[in-house]
């Protein structure tokens, strides 16, 4: 019956974490984006999702009960490393790219006089 | 077949098969990471079209989330029912006496919840398409449809697999072969639920922050 308890606990915790995240967003919208602030809300949402990831890994996938040499865990850690490099690297590169192009987007049609802007008439 | 498969050589072989499936899941995880990264980069590239905040209906998606979460729970219960008395867990395959009909009922519930989830997702997609907000509308919508659609496709094939597994269990009963398949289906289903948590958080909840 130990496993049944783990599944029920995992289920309840997952529902609770999902509802807390939902309530956080409602509160953010209700207070007119004041509290919690956008940055704080994003940070808390990420933390809640990661907690739920661990809850499900431990209580649904029972990763904590794996016996040595824990190949499943090893594969997971390696996959998470790749995910971190892939997502983190992509965001880093794309953000520094858009930072380097901060000026107003050029209106190529007006510049090349293809469709002369009507506002200048 | 002995009642204690953990002492037989067949057990080691089955462990390897489940581990191989686990490695597949991890590579699938990397696939989704690529789609998440694409979405994160393109989410503001709306090209004059609607943004995520204008499209999202959080209560609707919350219902989808609860449905998938419940199905993840019931597939776990199905595996537990099959493994009862053998003291094994999801990651280690065993052959319990099992209760065939309890397992089948729990799988049927899981399948119905999975189909309900798919139905809601298709409703959302057809609604978007009807309003001219298909994947070709903007880079944001392309990445949105790719990410959510790929997850939906996984749920579809998971449901199909579950249906086939149920037929196997009806015909062959619970034996080490079908229990091993059940173990892998449940790993797959839990995995899809975990991916969905991140879709729910990153796409829908973070999108709704701008409401």
């Amino acid at each position: 019956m130990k496993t049944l308890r783990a599944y029920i606990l995992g289920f309840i915790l997952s529902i609770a974490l999902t509802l807390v995240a939902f309530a956080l967003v409602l509160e953010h919208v209700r207070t007119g984006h004041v509290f919690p602030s956008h940055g704080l809300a994003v940070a808390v949402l990420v933390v809640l999702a990661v907690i739920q990831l661990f809850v499900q890994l431990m209580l649904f996938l029972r990763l904590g009960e794996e016996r040595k040499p824990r190949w499943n865990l090893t594969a997971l850690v390696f996959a998470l490393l790749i995910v971190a490099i892939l997502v983190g690297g992509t965001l880093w590169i794309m953000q520094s790219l858009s930072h380097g192009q901060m000026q107003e987007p050029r209106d190529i049609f007006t510049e090349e006089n293809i469709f002369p802007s009507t506002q200048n008439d | 077949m002995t009642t204690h498969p953990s002492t037989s050589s067949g057990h080691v072989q089955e462990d390897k098969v489940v581990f191989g499936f686990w490695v597949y899941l991890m590579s699938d995880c990397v696939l989704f990471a690529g789609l998440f990264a694409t979405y994160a980069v393109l989410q503001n590239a709306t090209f004059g079209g609607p943004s995520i905040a204008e499209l999202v209906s959080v209560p609707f998606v919350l219902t989808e989330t609860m449905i998938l979460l419940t199905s993840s729970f019931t597939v776990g219960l199905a595996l537990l029912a099959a493994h009862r008395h053998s003291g094994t867990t999801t990651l280690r395959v065993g052959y319990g006496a099992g209760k065939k009909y309890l397992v089948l009922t729990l799988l049927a519930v899981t399948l119905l919840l999975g189909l309900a989830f798919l139905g809601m997702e298709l409703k959302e997609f057809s609604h978007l398409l009807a309003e001219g907000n298909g994947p070709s509308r903007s880079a944001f919508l392309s990445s949105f449809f790719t990410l959510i659609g790929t997850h939906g496709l996984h749920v579809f094939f998971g449901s199909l697999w579950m249906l086939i597994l149920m037929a196997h269990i009806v015909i062959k009963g619970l034996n080490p072969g079908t229990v091993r398949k059940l173990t892998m289906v449940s790993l797959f289903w839990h995995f899809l639920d975990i991916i969905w948590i991140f879709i729910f958080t990153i796409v829908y909840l973070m999108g709704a922050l701008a409401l």
Side-chain angles (χ1 to χ4, degrees):
Chain A
M1 294 306 271
K2 197 171 138 235
T3 15
L4 179 63
R5 270 219 306 269
Y7 275 120
I8 293 172
L9 182 67
F11 185 49
I12 292 172
L13 280 176
S14 296
I15 287 183
L17 287 164
T18 305
L19 289 178
V20 167
F22 178 64
L24 183 86
V25 172
L26 282 191
E27 186 66 9
H28 176 78
V29 175
R30 194 182 63 81
T31 58
H33 307 207
V34 178
F35 183 82
S37 66
H38 187 83
L40 180 67
V42 168
V44 175
L45 285 179
V46 170
V47 170
L48 286 173
V50 171
I51 293 175
Q52 195 169 341
L53 166 70
F54 280 99
V55 164
Q56 296 210 4
L57 282 177
M58 301 311 275
L59 298 174
F60 281 179
L61 293 168
R62 319 305 310 275
L63 211 55
E65 291 184 8
E66 190 190 357
R67 283 173 293 193
K68 283 183 179 178
R70 302 181 189 273
W71 289 118
N72 287 282
L73 184 66
T74 310
L76 175 75
V77 170
F78 179 64
L80 289 180
L81 175 72
I82 301 292
V83 168
I85 293 172
L86 189 59
V87 176
T90 303
L91 290 178
W92 185 16
I93 290 170
M94 296 311 285
Q95 238 156 40
S96 63
L97 269 180
S98 64
H99 187 73
Q101 299 176 333
M102 277 300 252
Q103 73 265 39
E104 282 283 291
R106 289 159 60 206
D107 185 349
I108 191 165
F109 292 113
T110 309
E111 271 178 29
E112 300 294 332
N113 216 28
I114 297 171
F115 299 123
S117 170
T118 49
Q119 288 167 338
N120 293 343
D121 292 343
Chain B
M1 198 67 208
T2 61
T3 48
H4 292 287
S6 54
T7 55
S8 71
S9 60
H11 181 66
V12 177
Q13 188 58 38
E14 285 169 2
D15 251 1
K16 272 188 198 162
V17 174
V18 175
F19 176 65
F21 187 72
W22 179 261
V23 172
Y24 153 70
L25 286 181
M26 293 303 105
S27 67
D28 222 15
C29 194
V30 174
L31 168 87
F32 275 105
L35 296 178
F36 273 112
T38 311
Y39 177 82
V41 168
L42 295 177
Q43 72 184 119
N44 294 319
T46 53
F47 197 58
S51 69
I52 182 69
E54 292 162 59
L55 298 177
V56 68
S57 161
V58 180
F60 185 83
V61 187
L62 184 69
T63 313
E64 279 184 294
T65 307
M66 289 304 170
I67 288 174
L68 204 60
L69 187 58
T70 309
S71 75
S72 193
F73 178 60
T74 53
V75 83
L77 292 185
L79 185 66
L80 189 64
H83 279 190
R84 188 66 65 78
H85 308 307
S86 64
T88 52
T89 68
T90 313
L91 293 170
R92 284 176 278 126
V93 178
Y95 172 38
K99 293 174 180 147
K100 184 175 161 183
Y101 291 102
L102 180 61
V103 171
L104 281 173
T105 310
L106 286 164
L107 278 180
V109 172
T110 309
L111 183 64
L112 284 177
L113 289 167
L115 292 178
F117 173 86
L118 272 180
M120 287 185 79
E121 199 155 73
L122 283 176
K123 190 173 166 235
E124 187 194 17
F125 275 14
S126 62
H127 181 69
L128 285 174
L129 285 168
E131 296 200 328
N133 296 323
S136 57
R137 179 64 189 84
S138 64
F140 149 64
L141 279 165
S142 303
S143 62
F144 175 85
F145 273 91
T146 311
L147 175 59
I148 314 257
T150 305
H151 179 269
L153 209 61
H154 277 75
V155 175
F156 173 75
F157 281 106
S159 305
L160 203 62
W161 188 10
M162 211 174 282
L163 198 65
I164 294 167
L165 175 65
M166 284 168 71
H168 274 229
I169 293 178
V170 168
I171 297 164
K172 298 177 183 171
L174 289 169
N175 61 41
T178 49
V179 171
R180 187 180 71 197
K181 289 188 184 95
L182 177 60
T183 305
M184 293 193 287
V185 171
S186 81
L187 282 177
F188 189 62
W189 207 260
H190 289 319
F191 168 77
L192 290 183
D193 188 40
I194 290 176
I195 295 291
W196 181 259
I197 294 162
F198 285 91
I199 291 181
F200 178 63
T201 303
I202 292 170
V203 176
Y204 292 103
L205 287 183
M206 289 188 185
L209 285 177
L211 273 175

